């Protein structure tokens, strides 16, 4: 059976970043509903940063796998 597309630390970090992104979006919604616009904007920015971090780790893992396949080496999955 082939390993999952993401494995090891990259998978854990990308999942963690997505969780943080979801929580930041929820906090932004609550802040906007309560009328705290400035705080809501800060939470939206936090969601954007965590989303970019998640994409970074997904892309890094894909590039590492592609490089390993091009070199003919096995990709270890955890």
């Amino acid at each position: 059976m082939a390993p999952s597309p993401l494995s090891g630390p990259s998978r854990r970090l990308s999942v963690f970043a997505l969780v943080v992104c979801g929580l930041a979006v929820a906090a932004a919604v609550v802040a906007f509903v309560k009328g705290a616009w400035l705080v809501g904007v800060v939470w939206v920015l936090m969601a954007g940063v965590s989303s970019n971090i998640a994409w970074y780790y997904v892309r890094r893992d894909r590039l590492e796998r592609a490089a390993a396949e091009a070199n003919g080496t096995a990709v270890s999955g955890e």
Side-chain angles (χ1 to χ4, degrees), residues 62-73:
R62 286 182 186 165
L63 290 174
E64 286 175 358
R65 287 183 175 278
E69 288 176 7
N71 292 334
T73 59

Side-chain angles (χ1 to χ4, degrees), residues 4-17 53-54 56-58 60-61 64-65 76-78:
S4 65
L6 290 172
S7 61
S10 292
R11 177 179 171 82
R12 286 189 295 269
L13 289 171
S14 64
V15 169
F16 179 71
I53 291 171
Y56 168 78
Y57 283 113
V58 168
R60 186 173 94 170
D61 189 62
E64 286 175 358
R65 287 183 175 278
S76 63
E78 292 181 339

Side-chain angles (χ1 to χ4, degrees), residues 3 15 17 20 28 37-38 50-52 55 61 67 77-78:
V15 169
V20 170
W37 292 97
L38 184 60
S50 62
S51 169
N52 287 341
W55 277 115
D61 189 62
E78 292 181 339

